[in-house]
Amino acid sequence: MLTDPLFDRLRRFPDVEAPNLFAVDAADRLILDEAGPALEAAPDGTVVVIDDQYGALTLGAAVRYEISGLRVHQDSIVAERALAANASRENLADRYASHGLDEQLLRGARVVLLRLPRSLGALTETAEAIARHADPEVVVFAGGRDKHITVAMNDVLARSFAEVRASRGRQKSRVVTARGPIPGPSTYPVRETLPELALVVVAHGAAFAGPRLDIGTRFLLDFLPRTAPDASVAVDLGCGTGILATVLARQHPDMRVIATDQSAAAVDSAAATASANGVADRVDALRDDVAGSLPDASVDLVVCNPPFHIGAAVHTGAAEKMFAAAGRILRPGGEMWTVYNSHLRYRPILKRVVGATSVEGRNPKFTVTRSVRTR
């Protein structure tokens, strides 16, 4: 198989790399196999790839089926950069172009290769966009690992497509094929008001927790009035829908807040949430990989509710990258306030990469710490 040597060379970088984390999996291979006849028949410029993890789908289609003019959307900037790095090493960067989840991505699309997201909201927004903008003859090949595929995903696709059929499983993976798009209005982004905060939350489908208030964020909110009272620049690191960033901006009229996340859906949601609550002039939404574009020692305060998984794998690597980033961007004396599941015991890591760390609060599930940049 032409793609086997290619797949062996693909890397996850700049994402976390570890022995139990892989750049290609059985679902990628199955999607390409199931889509094979459609890809062979598709004219250049009519194939779209959505949420490719590290380049297996995009570069696999380019090499195995000699396809050019691929259009690609990846919610994660880390995945986007991993694809770019892999494509550059393989001299395939000219085979694809990156787009937002919009009409430019999908106009005239005949074949869509899709990694199924774990969020039904993300799948809903994606399916609606495909049905609204793609060619009426479009065929969608949506795949993932069996343990993450639910009947509800079939139901979501069936609202936007007339025919939805699941493949036989292989290596604990499966592909759902959808045909016959049913165009309709988009239900995203959604808006909800959180009465306890008198806050409007705007959320795109792939934004973590949607328009709801995540319980970890809820706990950290109790401590925001105690954070760095003289801070002029704050960062909501891994901002999601921007709840922390927006509340900080409301509490501190003279503060500039940077809401940053690797997810395009999160950043768009955070910007919309700030706007809906009248603080858009003081909240900057930034799509970035752990604040990598912010200068060293440039901020006074970081607030963070880090993930405890990478994709489907439970792994602390993403949180550790965020802590290291906070240590880099904080000025001496700057503070990082973090909420995390207590069993993860992040305090020693925070002490090592940020500075002196104290436990400021704990409930049966979460711990809140304050770390002070000391060097």
Side-chain angles (χ1 to χ4, degrees):
M1 186 70 68
L2 286 173
T3 47
D4 287 344
L6 167 70
F7 288 167
D8 290 341
R9 293 190 297 268
L10 293 186
R11 292 186 56 192
R12 295 169 54 92
F13 182 84
D15 203 355
V16 175
E17 296 188 301
N20 64 327
L21 300 174
F22 305 97
V24 184
D25 68 11
D28 295 318
R29 298 174 186 272
L30 185 57
I31 291 170
L32 289 170
D33 289 347
E34 288 288 318
L39 289 171
E40 288 175 345
D44 283 346
T46 65
V47 176
V48 170
V49 181
I50 298 178
D51 280 339
D52 194 359
Q53 294 181 315
Y54 303 100
L57 295 179
T58 305
L59 304 183
V63 170
R64 187 189 298 183
Y65 301 105
E66 300 183 350
I67 295 175
S68 297
L70 288 150
R71 286 175 277 170
V72 181
H73 170 71
Q74 293 161 284
D75 181 62
S76 165
I77 196 171
V78 178
E80 192 174 288
R81 290 175 178 175
L83 167 58
N86 283 321
S88 178
R89 280 193 300 272
E90 299 295 329
N91 295 315
L92 295 169
D94 61 344
R95 298 289 194 95
Y96 79 96
S98 293
H99 297 272
L101 184 62
D102 53 24
E103 183 179 1
Q104 187 177 10
L105 171 76
L106 292 160
R107 186 190 306 115
R110 300 292 300 269
V111 179
V112 176
L113 309 182
L114 168 66
R115 281 295 304 227
L116 282 166
R118 299 184 71 181
S119 159
L120 293 179
L123 182 58
T124 299
E125 187 168 15
T126 299
E128 289 175 346
I130 297 169
R132 190 164 58 253
H133 298 305
D135 188 279
E137 300 300 316
V138 68
V139 185
V140 180
F141 297 90
R145 304 292 281 165
D146 283 344
K147 61 184 177 181
H148 302 307
I149 297 177
T150 66
V151 173
M153 290 179 173
N154 287 3
D155 296 338
V156 166
L157 289 169
R159 290 197 290 269
S160 291
F161 295 90
E163 179 186 338
V164 177
R165 177 185 61 81
S167 73
R168 292 184 176 181
R170 189 180 78 191
Q171 294 180 293
K172 300 181 180 179
S173 301
R174 195 172 302 273
V175 170
V176 180
T177 304
R179 291 180 168 85
I182 305 170
S186 176
T187 56
Y188 283 87
V190 296
R191 295 167 62 99
E192 287 191 16
T193 298
L194 303 178
E196 64 268 47
L197 300 177
L199 187 80
V200 177
V201 180
V202 184
H204 285 273
F208 173 71
R212 300 177 301 280
L213 179 57
D214 165 72
I215 56 176
T217 298
R218 182 190 298 274
F219 191 42
L220 183 54
L221 282 167
D222 294 339
F223 298 85
L224 289 195
R226 295 166 49 184
T227 60
D230 299 324
S232 60
V233 181
V235 170
D236 180 359
L237 186 58
C239 64
T241 55
I243 291 174
L244 291 171
T246 299
V247 172
L248 274 174
R250 288 202 313 193
Q251 291 179 350
H252 302 278
D254 297 324
M255 179 184 286
R256 174 184 169 228
V257 184
I258 301 168
T260 183
D261 203 296
Q262 56 84 29
S263 161
V267 169
D268 288 347
S269 300
T273 295
S275 179
N277 292 279
V279 294
D281 59 327
R282 291 184 292 109
V283 176
D284 299 324
L286 173 68
R287 184 171 178 243
D288 203 356
D289 180 12
V290 290
S293 65
L294 298 183
D296 294 358
S298 61
V299 308
D300 307 296
L301 172 66
V302 174
V303 294
C304 184
N305 178 7
F308 58 88
H309 56 81
I310 297 175
V314 175
H315 200 284
T316 61
E320 292 178 24
K321 281 182 66 176
M322 297 172 86
F323 301 158
R328 181 185 65 80
I329 64 176
L330 279 169
R331 297 185 177 108
E335 297 179 0
M336 180 180 193
W337 287 72
T338 312
V339 62
Y340 54 87
N341 293 75
S342 297
H343 73 274
L344 295 172
R345 303 187 185 280
Y346 281 147
R347 187 179 175 188
I349 303 171
L350 287 161
K351 182 178 179 181
R352 185 178 76 250
V353 301
V354 181
T357 298
S358 57
V359 174
E360 300 296 317
R362 181 176 282 137
N363 66 18
K365 187 173 180 64
F366 294 103
T367 295
V368 169
T369 56
R370 170 181 177 264
S371 305
V372 180
R373 182 66 172 153
T374 51
R375 61 186 187 278

